[in-house]
Amino acid sequence: MRVLGIDTGRYPLYEVHPEVSFQAMAGKALPHPKHTWAGGSLRRRLLADAGIDLPGDLGDAGRGQALAIRY
């Protein structure tokens, strides 16, 4: 299969927006934006309920995100 000129082998390629996935996991629209403490906490809880546990410290990626939100 070819998508945008890229050979994906025998598997189709699907693009999924994370916020759509979180709404599907919650079964409704989420009440808090992802950039708020409540929004981040809710998304982490949805992931944990789905069996995906994130570490408390996300390393450089987490620190970079924290700085981006602050500024």
Side-chain angles (χ1 to χ4, degrees):
M1 171 175 257
R2 293 186 74 74
V3 177
L4 298 175
I6 300 169
D7 183 8
T8 62
R10 52 184 197 173
Y11 301 103
L13 178 67
Y14 299 98
E15 180 180 357
V16 179
H17 192 285
E19 286 303 301
V20 174
S21 298
F22 284 122
Q23 286 188 19
M25 286 189 276
K28 60 182 179 181
L30 301 180
H32 306 289
K34 64 184 176 184
H35 296 294
T36 65
W37 181 89
S41 179
L42 175 58
R43 285 157 179 80
R44 288 178 76 98
R45 189 173 45 236
L46 289 168
L47 289 172
D49 290 347
I52 303 168
D53 290 315
L54 297 177
D57 178 7
L58 297 177
D60 290 340
R63 284 186 286 282
Q65 180 64 20
L67 288 173
I69 292 170
R70 187 178 319 157
Y71 299 103

